[in-house]
């Protein structure tokens, strides 16, 4: 079983992971199993929480390390790297700057492949922990929520995988971004085809008082073709306790890392969910690993 995209996961499959994450316990169910970590891009949360999850289930990890210190530096192809690492590990977690790379890797190996972010494409395990957080902290019924998704909707892979997943729950969606960072055409088309109710706006003021969750993202600087284009749009939005003064009890989420789009003055308020959200990466990834490698769930 590969986990490549939320586009091909059913609502039932997602709920199975979320239910399992509720009850999964530390133990030895994955004793003797090894997870291969191949991160061709920086990572703190995803890599460390996968490692923590694997160890809490009694398994172990082997880590390619940075691109700089691996044979990728010598010009090895992704196909060759994954074929080799398949001999060292029972499942592979891959993050890569090129869209479609996890799917490509899955064509070269029999071991399960988990997409930990492919360029501006998808980040399905982040979505599962986002859904888990909404379900545990906001409302069990994801379909009853109104979720605002704000920031870099163009290059943000967490946005793409989350939107397509929430559409399957019929969650009402409001997309908030500067016009340059609107949703890409392929995601908009998918949403239109799904029949979910959504709108696109440039300012959060008009929608925030109706939201249950405001999901904020950073501008993905590394994906801009020109640094100048990034500079033009950098620092163009920021959520603070002032901006949420009249917003009721909206909960603010963020996949992290944040740059300057959430004022730290929000951290100790009831609005802030983002650190708990990051911590939920462990139980959710334990559930995923247990289902992929241990056959349970
Ligand atoms: C995200 C990513 O890598 O897409 N990070 C994460 O895994 N929590 C978000 C980001 O980098 O902005």
């Amino acid at each position: 079983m590969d986990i490549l995209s939320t586009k091909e996961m059913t609502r039932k499959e997602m709920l199975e992971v979320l239910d399992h994450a509720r009850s999964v316990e530390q133990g030895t169910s994955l004793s003797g199993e090894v997870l291969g970590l191949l991160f061709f891009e920086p990572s703190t949360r995803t890599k460390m929480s996968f490692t923590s999850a694997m160890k809490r289930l009694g398994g172990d990890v082997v880590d390619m390390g940075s691109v700089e210190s691996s044979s990728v530096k010598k010009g090895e192809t992704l196909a060759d790297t994954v074929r080799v690492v398949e001999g060292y590990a029972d499942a592979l977690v891959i993050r890569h700057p090129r869209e479609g790379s996890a799917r490509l890797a899955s064509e070269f190996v029999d071991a399960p492949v988990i997409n930990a972010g492919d360029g501006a494409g998808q980040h399905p395990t982040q979505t599962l922990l986002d859904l888990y957080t909404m379900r545990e902290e906001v409302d069990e019924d994801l379909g009853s929520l109104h979720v605002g998704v704000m920031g870099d909707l163009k290059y943000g892979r967490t946005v793409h995988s989350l939107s397509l997943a929430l559409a399957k729950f019929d969650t009402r969606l409001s997309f908030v971004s500067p016009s340059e960072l609107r949703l890409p055409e392929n995601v908009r088309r998918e949403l239109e085809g799904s029949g979910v109710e959504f709108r696109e706006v440039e300012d959060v003021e008009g929608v925030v008082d109706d939201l249950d969750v405001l999901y904020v993202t950073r501008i993905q600087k590394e994906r801009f073709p020109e640094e100048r284009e990034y500079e033009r749009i950098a620092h163009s939005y920021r959520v603070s306790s002032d901006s949420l003064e009249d917003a009721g009890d909206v909960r603010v989420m963020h996949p992290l890392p944040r740059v300057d789009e959430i004022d730290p003055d929000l951290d100790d308020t009831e609005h802030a969910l983002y650190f708990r959200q990051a911590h939920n990466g462990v139980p959710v990834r334990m559930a995923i690993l247990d289902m992929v490698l241990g056959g349970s769930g």
Side-chain angles (χ1 to χ4, degrees), residues 56-279:
R56 284 169 198 267
L57 292 172
D60 213 336
V61 299
V62 284
D63 181 354
M64 180 185 81
S66 70
V67 165
E68 288 299 308
S69 68
S70 74
S71 281
V72 178
K73 195 72 189 158
K74 301 180 189 170
E76 186 168 53
T77 62
L78 177 64
D80 280 0
T81 302
V82 294
R83 276 187 286 208
V84 170
V85 177
E86 187 182 25
Y88 311 153
D90 303 293
L92 308 180
V93 177
I94 299 178
R95 168 173 290 186
H96 196 283
R98 213 170 42 238
E99 206 166 321
S101 48
R103 189 176 306 279
L104 179 72
S106 74
E107 287 164 16
F108 290 95
V109 296
D110 293 325
V113 171
I114 300 173
N115 181 7
D118 62 319
Q122 280 255 333
H123 191 352
T125 68
Q126 175 70 43
T127 293
L128 289 164
L129 78 89
D130 296 340
L131 298 181
Y132 181 80
T133 304
M134 289 179 197
R135 210 171 168 224
E136 300 304 305
E137 305 275 354
V138 189
D139 199 305
E140 172 81 19
D141 175 14
L142 296 172
S144 69
L145 298 176
H146 180 190
V147 175
V149 186
M150 177 178 180
D152 187 347
L153 313 181
K154 180 175 183 185
Y155 295 117
R157 56 196 176 198
T158 64
V159 168
H160 305 157
S161 38
L162 179 65
S163 314
L164 299 188
L166 286 173
K168 297 189 186 187
F169 289 91
D170 269 329
T171 306
R172 200 144 55 95
L173 295 165
S174 288
F175 294 99
V176 187
S177 74
S179 60
E180 297 88 332
L181 298 180
R182 285 178 66 190
L183 284 175
E185 199 48 45
N186 64 323
V187 176
R188 188 177 307 109
R189 260 203 312 271
E190 285 289 334
L191 293 173
E192 279 161 2
S194 76
V196 72
E197 187 186 331
F198 75 96
R199 62 181 153 175
E200 297 175 271
V201 297
E202 287 191 27
D203 295 303
V204 75
E205 286 77 30
V207 289
V208 73
D209 53 352
D210 188 50
L211 296 176
D212 300 296
V213 173
L214 179 60
Y215 189 97
V216 186
T217 60
R218 81 179 162 93
I219 300 184
Q220 309 280 299
K221 180 179 181 184
E222 65 276 33
R223 307 213 194 287
F224 279 67
E226 299 271 348
E227 169 114 17
R228 258 181 309 133
E229 275 179 52
Y230 166 76
E231 293 301 342
R232 245 204 323 268
I233 200 125
H235 323 298
S236 56
Y237 56 93
R238 184 176 177 91
V239 178
S240 66
S241 49
D242 264 0
S243 57
L244 296 185
E245 209 167 43
D246 304 317
D249 56 1
V250 61
R251 315 300 296 278
V252 177
M253 294 176 63
H254 191 304
L256 301 178
R258 68 176 151 183
V259 182
D260 60 0
E261 58 282 352
I262 296 185
D263 194 308
D265 80 350
L266 217 61
D267 295 359
D268 294 324
T269 70
E270 286 295 312
H271 295 295
L273 261 190
Y274 29 92
F275 290 116
R276 287 220 286 289
Q277 178 187 357
H279 294 164

Side-chain angles (χ1 to χ4, degrees), residues 20-29 53 56-58 283 286-287 290:
H20 191 41
R22 251 182 202 163
S23 59
V24 66
E25 280 176 14
Q26 203 151 314
T28 54
S29 63
R56 284 169 198 267
L57 292 172
M286 283 170 78
D290 209 26

